Amino acid sequence: MGTVVDDAASVEFHAFFERHYAELSRLAYMLTGESDAADDLAADALLALWHRWDRVRAADHPVAYARGVVANLARTRIRSAVRERRRIALFWSQREERTENPDVAGVVDVQGALRRLPFRKRACVVLRHAFDLSEKDTALALGISVGTVKSQTSKGMAELQKLLGDQSVPQRVHAAMAPRAGQSGGRNR
């Protein structure tokens, strides 16, 4: 049950929200360039302010405090986007668009089996065996430890072996998603 103080704080915050939400959303848009992200960032900032409302409302400039929260959230979002772009860049290389003599049935089987693996196992298997990334590069791309890459790849390959019923699973994964013609492979361990 709310007290008079809690109710007063709630009313005060609601008024603050109504006055400043649009401005904070515009600030987030100007910082990120993304309209959908702007609304989310403004809402996240106001939620954070609500959790610290006693401190915020006692501040000399609560709106300046709110702008700082939006700026920090925008910076975090931008940094995450940059990291994600770097991870994606690891996956792309100059490859030709054709594969010579593909085993279509094998590709379909392997891709179907891969889809049945949990994401992390699938990502480790594909990056290690289809993209020939080292354990270190795979760990960097996925933001996990090298040990996790090793265990997830091993477990993923074991599951694929059960699903495909073949002892040559690594070769089938590699063949199914082999580097395109003219692309050299090889892992650096």
Side-chain angles (χ1 to χ4, degrees):
M1 180 166 260
T3 65
V4 175
V5 175
D6 290 338
D7 290 341
S10 179
V11 168
E12 189 177 308
F13 177 78
H14 186 270
F16 182 88
F17 181 98
E18 292 295 324
R19 276 194 313 271
H20 300 290
Y21 177 78
E23 172 193 348
L24 295 174
S25 182
R26 275 194 315 275
L27 172 62
Y29 175 73
M30 296 302 289
L31 294 174
T32 64
E34 302 174 19
S35 59
D36 291 338
D39 288 336
D40 292 344
L41 289 174
D44 289 346
L46 286 161
L47 179 63
L49 293 174
W50 171 244
H51 289 297
R52 297 181 196 93
W53 187 242
D54 288 338
R55 187 173 15 160
V56 173
R57 72 192 239 207
D60 290 334
H61 303 287
V63 176
Y65 187 89
R67 289 179 187 136
V69 172
V70 169
N72 286 334
L73 290 172
R75 180 176 34 248
T76 299
R77 182 176 182 86
I78 291 166
R79 285 180 179 166
S80 294
V82 167
R83 280 193 302 273
E84 183 65 21
R85 282 188 211 112
R86 286 180 185 154
R87 289 178 185 150
I88 290 170
L90 285 174
F91 300 145
W92 295 102
S93 62
Q94 298 299 323
R95 296 174 185 253
E96 291 186 23
E97 293 299 318
R98 292 181 10 188
T99 301
E100 294 180 26
N101 302 323
D103 176 9
V104 176
V107 169
V108 170
D109 290 345
V110 170
Q111 288 178 343
L114 283 169
R115 278 192 295 274
R116 293 178 64 186
L117 294 179
F119 175 77
R120 186 176 282 178
K121 288 178 187 173
R122 179 174 57 230
C124 287
V125 167
V126 168
L127 291 174
R128 293 283 293 131
H129 292 283
F131 284 81
D132 285 328
L133 291 185
S134 67
E135 291 165 345
K136 182 180 175 184
D137 287 341
T138 301
L140 179 64
L142 297 175
I144 58 177
S145 72
V146 172
T148 301
V149 169
K150 290 178 182 181
S151 69
Q152 293 294 293
T153 302
S154 175
K155 290 174 184 177
M157 293 303 288
E159 287 183 39
L160 283 176
Q161 218 161 3
K162 287 179 186 174
L163 292 169
L164 296 171
D166 190 340
Q167 296 298 318
S168 63
V169 170
Q171 292 83 8
R172 290 182 69 189
V173 170
H174 188 73
M177 298 183 174
R180 308 290 187 219
Q183 180 70 20
S184 62
R187 283 179 230 139
N188 298 325
R189 293 185 192 243

